[in-house]
Amino acid sequence: MATSSDSPAVVIGGGPAGLMAADALLSAGVPVLLAEAKPSVGRKFLMAGKSGLNLTRAQPFGPFLAAYGGAEAALRPMLAEFTPETVQDWAAGLGQTTFAGSTGRVFPTAMKASPLLRAWLERLEGMGLDRRTRWRWTGWKAGAVCFETPEGPRRLMPPVTVLALGGASWARLGSDGAWAGLLADEGIKVAPFQPANAGLCVDWSGHMAPHFGAPLKGIALAAGPLTSRGEAVISARGLEGGGLYPLSPALREGAPLHIDLAPDLSAGELAQRLGRPRGKQSLSNHLRKVLKLSPAARALLMECARPLPDDPARLAATVKALPVPHKGLRPMDEAISTAGGVPFAALDEALMLRARPGTYCAGEMLDWEAPTGGYLLTACLATGLWAGRHAALRALGA
């Protein structure tokens, strides 16, 4: 087994957090070897960009930070240093202009991840990045960082190491969570992985089949203490979509889901409209005319609340808080992201593992979660930058 005692800093993981850590180290003058287990870097990043790469969210810092829930305090210093505005400046520095949509979501003008990733890799390689693919990290041995590589086992003795290994969803793209066992072998407890930003399992009756793939627009959703305004899609397996994802923490714990099909109208206004004479027309047609409910929304109402109450006030209350029975979130490998990972208590303020001085952690492998909408990628970049800068200070003896 080849061993090197004169190694550059090692970054393990070629996603956004790992690339940003490498960028920070190289910018400080520290040589970097980037090890990626897959044949290429940025695979999940590129997949996310297929539907338009949501880089960040243009909103005041307070509401932005609040999206990180229980990890808000831990992530505050990193996000304060790499804010949504900084993300946009960073992209512009790579030649990628951005724009903000009506909801504040920020996208590259190109609406793709590939031009940004290509420009970033060119920049890193211009600074001397040593990029190795098909290098799978296998843990530590006698102080060395060990890998299985196409050329056989390798051991490195870097001055610092940054782990940016991702969560445990989308295993085929590299985020398989297998690293948790390697940390456990070192006595580092990892919070169990759980699905986040995932679809919801609902057992529909045959009545719903014609509406599979139909969107539920302009709705509000609630589960436990969490609420969301957005859109969901009815699928054969249940519900999916950005309006649902912010409720993942509560739904994961079994909280019931309620949907407001008419969030812009009060219960009183709904009751008044529902109380209008409907003559011989069906209740479904009446709902369409007086409430402007879509076919999908009417079907959901019938599915979850039949027989509908005749009393306008009771029916209005049902429309405002329709209970949708569910069986929890979809499996973890179908989730966009995961909760769980390395607890912040296992790290110091520099994101260095207390149990392994000189080893830092960044990105989705940390124990935090956030909804889609730019929050996930911003925190991955911010923690990667933070870990990389602090690793550089240690490597340089500062």
Side-chain angles (χ1 to χ4, degrees):
M1 178 182 288
T3 303
S4 172
S5 59
D6 186 24
S7 299
V10 169
V11 174
I12 306 175
L19 292 173
M20 187 59 83
D23 200 328
L25 283 155
L26 290 166
S27 296
V30 179
V32 175
L33 183 149
L34 177 74
E36 165 58 47
K38 291 293 184 179
S40 59
V41 301
R43 295 164 83 90
K44 192 173 179 182
F45 183 70
L46 290 171
M47 178 63 75
K50 284 192 173 182
S51 55
L53 183 67
N54 189 185
L55 287 172
T56 191
R57 189 70 160 256
Q59 66 182 140
F61 187 67
F64 182 84
L65 188 62
Y68 296 92
E72 177 181 342
L75 291 172
R76 176 186 287 271
M78 298 93 175
L79 293 168
E81 187 165 307
F82 201 70
T83 65
E85 292 78 13
T86 313
V87 174
Q88 295 172 71
D89 292 341
W90 165 77
L94 291 171
Q96 303 302 307
T97 58
T98 58
F99 72 94
S102 58
T103 61
R105 297 182 181 217
V106 176
F107 300 89
T109 304
M111 289 298 287
K112 295 179 181 178
S114 52
L116 179 60
L117 180 61
R118 188 162 51 246
W120 198 4
L121 291 176
E122 288 175 1
R123 166 185 157 84
L124 293 173
E125 288 168 1
M127 292 193 291
L129 177 68
D130 183 0
R131 180 167 29 134
R132 306 294 181 94
T133 55
R134 296 186 173 89
W135 276 43
R136 177 168 290 278
W137 178 54
T138 58
W140 294 277
K141 189 169 185 180
V145 182
C146 303
F147 298 91
E148 287 294 338
T149 81
E151 292 77 33
R154 290 289 305 273
R155 290 183 184 176
L156 302 177
M157 299 285 288
V160 291
T161 302
V162 178
L163 304 178
L165 295 156
S169 63
W170 295 76
R172 65 189 177 87
L173 299 178
S175 297
D176 57 13
W179 52 265
L182 301 178
L183 294 191
D185 291 343
E186 299 294 314
I188 302 168
K189 293 183 179 179
V190 175
F193 295 115
Q194 301 179 82
N197 294 302
L200 193 65
C201 299
V202 182
D203 286 341
W204 303 120
S205 71
H207 162 77
M208 293 298 290
H211 304 282
F212 292 164
L216 295 164
K217 296 184 177 182
I219 59 173
L221 306 96
L226 304 178
T227 59
S228 173
R229 279 289 296 260
E231 184 174 315
V233 175
I234 300 170
S235 74
R237 299 182 296 181
L239 290 170
E240 302 173 14
L244 185 72
Y245 297 153
L247 309 183
S248 290
L251 293 171
R252 197 168 55 228
E253 299 302 318
L257 172 67
H258 290 86
I259 296 181
D260 183 346
L261 296 173
D264 296 322
L265 296 173
S266 69
E269 290 171 318
L270 284 176
Q272 186 178 31
R273 293 189 183 193
L274 290 167
R276 295 173 187 171
R278 62 184 174 100
K280 295 182 179 180
Q281 66 182 342
S282 67
L283 179 55
S284 178
N285 213 27
H286 185 58
L287 290 167
R288 176 182 64 82
K289 286 187 175 181
V290 300
L291 301 188
K292 310 299 184 187
L293 293 183
S294 68
R298 298 198 307 274
L300 185 68
L301 184 62
M302 296 291 187
E303 174 78 3
C304 299
R306 281 183 299 185
L308 297 181
D310 291 324
D311 177 65
R314 289 178 57 209
L315 180 53
T318 301
V319 171
K320 293 294 291 180
L322 178 67
V324 180
H326 67 85
K327 293 189 173 181
L329 298 180
R330 296 294 306 166
M332 190 155 54
D333 200 49
E334 296 179 21
I336 293 174
S337 60
T338 49
V342 179
F344 285 99
L347 306 162
D348 68 9
E349 65 280 357
L351 296 182
M352 185 175 72
L353 283 169
R354 298 181 189 276
R356 290 205 67 91
T359 300
Y360 300 77
C361 298
E364 202 182 328
M365 71 179 294
L366 302 176
D367 185 14
W368 60 275
E369 63 178 306
T372 58
Y375 304 107
L376 293 169
L377 185 51
T378 298
C380 286
L381 294 170
T383 55
L385 180 67
W386 187 269
R389 284 179 173 172
H390 284 85
L393 290 173
R394 184 181 180 91
L396 295 171

